[in-house]
Amino acid sequence: MLQPDPTRLPPPPAPPPEVSIVVPMFNEAESLPDLVERVAQAMLASGRSFELIAVDDGSRDGSPALLRALAQQRPWLRPVCLARNYGQSCALQAGFDRVRGRYVVTLDADLQNDPLDIPALLDRLDAEPELDALSGWRQQRQDKALSRRLPSMLANRLISHTTGLRLHDYGCALKAYRRPIVDRIRLYGELHRFLPLLAHDAGARIAEVPVRHHARAKGRSKYGIDRTFRVVLDLVLVLFFLRYRQRPLHAFGGLGLWLAAPGAAILAYLFALKLTGEAVGGRPLLMAGVMLVLVGLQLVVAGLIGEVMMRIYYERGSGHQYHLREP
């Protein structure tokens, strides 16, 4: 049996690719071979080194086995198979945790976005160093008007109006980022819909780029009109996170004071009536005043607890209060 030569040095590690493409997928076995070939066609023609991180989110249609088979002949294909279906945000985060390139591109697996648009996004990031992220805009969207385009249009306008980051198409999966921006983002729940907002909060300067959009040819859509209602709830979470993450007392305490102030005024009025000899014990106004004061005080206390938790979070090194930009 041959013994390894201790004098031989191990081969140097392969250099990291220039571009990391992250594709979350769930039950997309029909589209998977075409997706891999189209990404290869786009990136090999561009001359950029790349990796395709295909994150299978607990598919039950044979996608994991197909991914492994495709990866055997394609060293740039890196399958990541999650233990169960965790959701698109978690799948994207699993991909972000494994990227090695200086550019990170996100893409859906259904081929409604065209991988041939990726090189143009990368060329623009090269040409405009002041930009940190590019978000796709499906100007000619090939989806049903009532169930997909109308709810999406309303959601985009609502998000743009409430956050101040005005984009035409928050839901387009085709986006490109510089690596430092992705390293600052953590995705939870269903926050993948708000990736441009999270990137903007991390210091990114964002532009929108028109991209092609195709009708779904294979597989079935995983989205329905019910997600419109979830977007509203997630938007409330994102707004709180962006505006009051470092000062929760201003959110809870401010609302608490708005409630407690009229409650205190009501109780003062009833106290003055009591001093004049009037009976106030059976008045509904008394109960309203007490409830307003109590709820207001509870909200102020919740804000104080939030302040303590934020200080523990930052002082333990779990997060950064600020990010730096290269001079």
Side-chain angles (χ1 to χ4, degrees):
M1 183 176 178
L2 295 177
Q3 298 293 327
D5 186 353
T7 63
R8 292 187 61 185
L9 296 176
E18 183 181 4
V19 184
S20 295
I21 303 172
V22 178
V23 181
M25 60 185 64
F26 177 66
N27 290 342
E28 294 286 0
E30 293 181 56
S31 302
L32 191 50
D34 289 341
L35 169 72
V36 172
E37 289 307 315
R38 292 193 192 181
V39 169
Q41 177 186 358
M43 297 307 299
L44 293 175
S46 73
R48 298 175 185 265
S49 60
F50 72 100
E51 62 180 354
L52 173 58
I53 303 176
V55 184
D56 180 77
D57 188 21
S59 296
R60 297 183 294 272
D61 63 347
S63 294
L66 181 56
L67 268 176
R68 288 190 288 267
L70 292 170
Q72 289 180 358
Q73 303 298 325
R74 300 168 177 82
W76 43 264
L77 177 57
R78 297 176 58 197
V80 177
C81 299
L82 303 186
R84 63 172 178 85
N85 180 241
Y86 289 92
Q88 188 171 349
S89 291
C90 192
L92 273 174
Q93 187 61 58
F96 288 167
D97 289 340
R98 291 162 174 79
V99 296
R100 298 180 297 162
R102 66 188 185 97
Y103 293 131
V104 179
V105 177
T106 61
L107 185 70
D108 270 348
D110 55 16
L111 286 176
Q112 290 193 263
N113 288 121
D114 199 326
L116 293 176
D117 285 327
I118 296 176
L121 299 182
L122 300 174
D123 289 343
R124 182 165 177 185
L125 286 178
D126 278 339
E128 302 183 40
E130 69 276 7
L131 291 178
D132 300 301
L134 293 173
S135 183
W137 174 16
R138 299 164 292 183
Q139 284 184 320
Q140 304 296 327
R141 186 171 177 178
Q142 304 300 313
D143 280 323
K144 294 180 180 179
L146 186 60
S147 62
R148 299 294 298 276
R149 296 209 307 265
L150 178 60
S152 179
M153 180 189 69
L154 295 176
N156 289 325
R157 291 185 177 180
L158 176 64
I159 296 171
S160 295
H161 179 73
T162 54
T163 63
L165 180 61
R166 299 192 176 276
L167 297 178
H168 296 88
D169 192 356
Y170 275 88
C172 182
L174 181 54
K175 296 179 174 65
Y177 307 89
R178 298 189 192 276
R179 170 74 176 279
I181 297 300
V182 170
D183 290 340
R184 299 171 188 173
I185 295 173
R186 301 298 298 180
L187 293 176
Y188 304 95
E190 295 189 4
L191 295 186
H192 62 275
R193 302 188 185 100
F194 302 96
L195 258 174
L197 277 176
L198 299 178
H200 182 68
D201 181 61
R205 292 163 293 193
I206 302 173
E208 204 167 25
V209 179
V211 296
R212 286 169 283 192
H213 191 251
H214 306 291
R216 176 183 273 272
K218 298 178 181 179
R220 296 193 310 169
S221 174
K222 313 303 184 297
Y223 301 109
I225 197 169
D226 61 311
R227 71 170 179 163
T228 305
F229 304 103
R230 298 199 299 268
V231 167
V232 176
L233 295 177
D234 290 333
L235 179 59
V236 174
L237 171 63
V238 170
L239 288 174
F240 175 81
F241 182 76
L242 297 181
R243 296 180 181 178
Y244 299 106
R245 176 180 58 216
Q246 297 189 35
R247 47 192 182 97
L249 181 59
H250 287 190
F252 292 102
L255 180 58
L257 291 178
W258 274 104
L259 293 176
I266 290 172
L267 294 181
Y269 168 72
L270 294 176
F271 180 71
L273 291 181
K274 181 67 175 177
L275 292 178
T276 63
E278 291 192 33
V280 298
R283 293 195 178 193
L285 195 59
L286 177 62
M287 182 62 68
V290 171
M291 291 299 297
L292 286 172
V293 171
L294 290 179
V295 172
L297 290 176
Q298 287 179 333
L299 287 172
V300 171
V301 171
L304 291 171
I305 295 174
E307 289 284 340
V308 173
M309 294 178 65
M310 284 300 99
R311 278 155 177 73
I312 294 174
Y313 175 77
Y314 285 116
E315 291 175 8
R316 287 174 58 91
S318 301
H320 300 285
Q321 293 175 269
Y322 57 88
H323 300 290
L324 300 178
R325 186 182 300 280
E326 292 294 331

